[in-house]
Amino acid sequence: MNLLLIAPAVVDEKRRGMQGKAFQLPPFSLAAVASATPEHVKIKILDEAIEPIDYNFPADLVGITVLTRFAPRAYEIADNFRQRGIKVILGGLHPSALPEEAIQHADAVVIGEAEGVWETVIKDFEQNSLKKFYKNKDFPDLARIKSPRRDLFNKSKYLFTAMVQTTRGCPFNCNFCSVTKFFGGRFRTRPIECVIKEIRSLKSKFIGFSDDNIFGNRIYARKLFNALKYEGVIWMAQASINIADDRELLHLAARSGCKGLFIGLESVDSESLIQMHKGFQKPERFKDSIARLHDEGIGVLGAFVLGNDNEDVSIFKKTLEFAKKIKLDLAQFSILTPYPGTSLFNRLLKENRILSFDWSKYDAGNAVFKPLKMTAEKLKEEVDKLWREFYRFDEILYRLLTLGKRLPVQILPLLLLNMSFRKEIAATQNL
Ligand code: SF4
């Protein structure tokens, strides 16, 4: 049996495989599905960001992972395969939030995490008895999941494939985020020995952790870092800014190889943070917290979300000045996006403020809802400008030359990352 697993993408044909190569990660969710597939099944992973869809591939079954922004494309691909008589399964964040929409384009929909039900899906397909919907009764136990099948990636097309997952789930419930609904409201952890075994098997000096918050469960994080410090790797991850308050754990993270963190700061404005259900973060403390991370030799990418109800046009200048003042090494500016399944989506829908249900615009770069204190057009225009201003060449130069004691070691990687962002901005904003 041949199983074709597809990660859809919308790609300008001239730029396929080049589009943000520095940021292009392989589809790990499909590699996880592949590792949960019975051994007798032959699997191909097709990432449309790097290769076109081959509708003549001799697939018996097609599985497609669907993020909201690629949903229209995923449905197009699914419809095409089904017209050829090939059965299609859809899964991922978008079908999990809107299974009744997804089933219009599929023979079955997997709701939530695939491990635990995927084996049944394959068995039912082989017995010609597919059901419409599959859903785990409980969240899968991470001690039972296997390492993702990275051997199925076309490694030459990606700069980085050494992403490792240690936890799933998040106890917070930020209004714009799908993580808690999809992965559950508590951290599930993988046994440390499985994580270390996987890291050793990668034979890579650089590791990225794909967890939503590597410090989320501090007892587990401490054990993980204590084990990691003997592995001689350099690692990066996502984290909450509050980790800066736990100096001992932060120091341990740095000693175990942490060199960069992606941190969802979300806003300079306390009221916005409360609206996002992230009022536990205090913007007035961000500068000191980031200085502590820098003192440990850890670079910081701070992410902001703009377009909250209390924000007027003054928020953009405030955010830019703030990002510079707190000395971020890199920054990301997203437009608040009401992804289906989130509490933000439900509220804006009730208030009749959703302007577009064209899911391809749900990419955090388009304003798909009506903000309260500005127009959607103004929101997009100003967020685009924020990107350009933060990554102006003179700003990059200033950031790099004021790295202080981090300068000798970090100037080159930060220069490359800043320039990669500049290149991506030029491409996406057609500059
Ligand atoms: S944004 Fe981060 S902290 Fe908030 S719910 Fe999502 S994963 Fe958790």
Side-chain angles (χ1 to χ4, degrees):
M1 173 187 161
N2 277 325
L3 170 66
L4 178 62
L5 294 174
I6 299 176
V10 178
V11 188
D12 173 351
E13 213 39 65
K14 281 182 262 142
R15 296 186 72 228
R16 190 189 300 279
M18 318 259 302
Q19 201 161 21
K21 186 169 175 178
F23 304 107
Q24 183 68 49
L25 290 172
F28 283 96
S29 59
L30 293 184
V33 170
S35 71
T37 305
E39 276 173 20
H40 68 275
V41 178
K42 275 178 70 184
I43 308 169
K44 175 178 165 66
I45 289 182
L46 192 159
D47 177 1
E48 199 181 12
I50 61 164
E51 63 177 309
I53 304 293
D54 176 6
Y55 289 104
N56 294 317
F57 183 82
D60 299 300
L61 179 66
V62 170
I64 307 179
T65 181
V66 190
L67 290 171
T68 297
R69 71 180 186 279
F70 297 133
R73 177 63 185 148
Y75 295 158
E76 198 182 334
I77 296 167
D79 293 346
N80 202 317
F81 275 109
R82 292 180 84 207
Q83 277 158 19
R84 292 160 190 259
I86 299 167
K87 291 215 175 353
V88 174
I89 319 281
L90 296 179
L93 285 173
H94 190 79
S96 297
L98 299 176
E100 294 294 344
E101 175 189 285
I103 197 66
Q104 308 302 317
H105 305 271
D107 297 284
V109 171
V110 174
I111 300 167
E113 291 166 70
E115 294 104 333
V117 288
W118 187 243
E119 300 80 350
T120 312
V121 175
I122 297 291
K123 197 167 107 230
D124 287 355
F125 167 75
E126 289 178 323
Q127 294 175 352
N128 204 18
S129 61
L130 269 181
K131 296 174 193 62
K132 278 189 166 182
F133 300 106
Y134 291 85
K135 187 173 191 265
N136 274 310
K137 284 200 185 72
D138 206 353
F139 293 101
D141 176 358
L142 299 194
R144 298 171 65 119
I145 65 164
K146 297 185 199 147
S147 294
R149 291 276 312 268
R150 294 183 185 80
D151 57 301
L152 297 170
F153 295 147
N154 183 348
K155 286 200 181 150
S156 65
K157 300 283 186 182
Y158 306 100
L159 280 187
F160 188 70
T161 59
M163 293 293 287
V164 175
Q165 190 170 48
T166 72
T167 62
R168 287 184 192 169
C170 177
F172 304 112
N173 198 5
C174 302
N175 70 346
F176 57 83
C177 178
S178 317
V179 166
T180 309
K181 188 149 186 228
F182 191 85
F183 290 112
R186 67 179 179 86
F187 288 110
R188 280 169 292 140
T189 56
R190 259 179 100 192
I192 305 276
E193 57 277 18
C194 296
V195 175
I196 297 296
K197 195 170 154 206
E198 186 173 323
I199 288 172
R200 286 182 187 158
S201 75
L202 293 174
K203 300 192 184 345
S204 169
K205 175 89 185 144
F206 301 97
I207 301 292
F209 288 110
S210 59
D211 307 50
D212 292 299
N213 182 359
I214 192 79
F215 299 97
N217 177 332
R218 294 198 186 179
I219 296 170
Y220 178 83
R222 184 164 285 112
K223 283 188 201 153
L224 176 68
F225 304 154
N226 268 321
L228 266 181
K229 69 185 180 202
Y230 302 108
E231 299 302 315
V233 292
I234 287 174
W235 60 268
M236 276 156 274
Q238 291 189 68
S240 150
I241 189 68
N242 297 356
I243 187 52
D245 299 334
D246 189 336
R247 290 181 191 233
E248 190 211 324
L249 186 57
L250 183 63
H251 185 60
L252 184 58
R255 276 182 56 214
S256 74
C258 179
K259 288 285 174 229
L261 291 174
F262 175 104
I263 298 184
L265 300 173
E266 320 306 1
S267 186
V268 51
D269 189 301
S270 305
E271 181 53 36
S272 298
L273 286 165
I274 291 168
Q275 280 179 17
M276 287 187 253
H277 307 168
K278 232 173 168 173
F280 54 89
Q281 298 202 154
K282 306 290 173 206
E284 62 278 10
R285 297 175 56 198
F286 287 176
K287 188 165 188 277
D288 285 348
S289 299
I290 287 166
R292 260 176 253 155
L293 295 169
H294 285 165
D295 284 347
E296 292 285 359
I298 298 171
V300 180
L301 191 166
F304 296 93
V305 176
L306 296 115
N308 289 285
D309 282 357
N310 60 306
E311 293 170 4
D312 59 24
V313 290
S314 67
I315 191 70
F316 304 109
K317 188 159 181 274
K318 261 193 250 170
T319 303
L320 181 65
E321 294 305 319
F322 184 72
K324 292 197 255 178
K325 189 178 96 181
I326 62 176
K327 293 198 155 290
L328 289 177
D329 301 301
L330 297 155
Q332 178 182 296
F333 307 99
S334 302
I335 295 174
L336 185 69
T337 302
Y339 293 104
T342 61
S343 60
L344 179 67
F345 180 85
N346 296 337
R347 177 168 67 80
L348 292 177
L349 191 66
K350 214 159 110 195
E351 292 171 5
N352 208 14
R353 287 170 59 198
I354 300 212
L355 296 174
S356 172
F357 292 93
D358 174 355
W359 304 130
S360 69
K361 293 198 162 63
Y362 282 58
D363 60 357
N366 285 291
V368 294
F369 74 101
K370 169 137 191 28
L372 275 190
K373 296 188 178 174
M374 65 188 96
T375 63
E377 291 75 19
K378 183 73 178 165
L379 175 56
K380 172 160 174 56
E381 185 188 309
E382 291 291 334
V383 171
D384 282 354
K385 195 165 139 203
L386 268 179
W387 279 103
R388 295 196 301 274
E389 289 291 315
F390 189 82
Y391 288 99
R392 264 176 28 194
F393 196 67
D394 56 331
E395 293 290 352
I396 294 177
L397 210 57
Y398 179 76
R399 271 200 291 284
L400 295 175
L401 295 177
T402 52
L403 282 172
K405 66 176 185 184
R406 294 188 298 139
L407 190 139
V409 183
Q410 296 195 345
I411 189 164
L412 195 59
L414 284 175
L415 172 66
L416 290 175
L417 284 167
N418 272 280
M419 293 311 283
S420 298
F421 269 103
R422 247 181 89 87
K423 202 171 143 215
E424 200 52 22
I425 294 161
T428 50
Q429 296 191 18
N430 293 319
L431 300 177

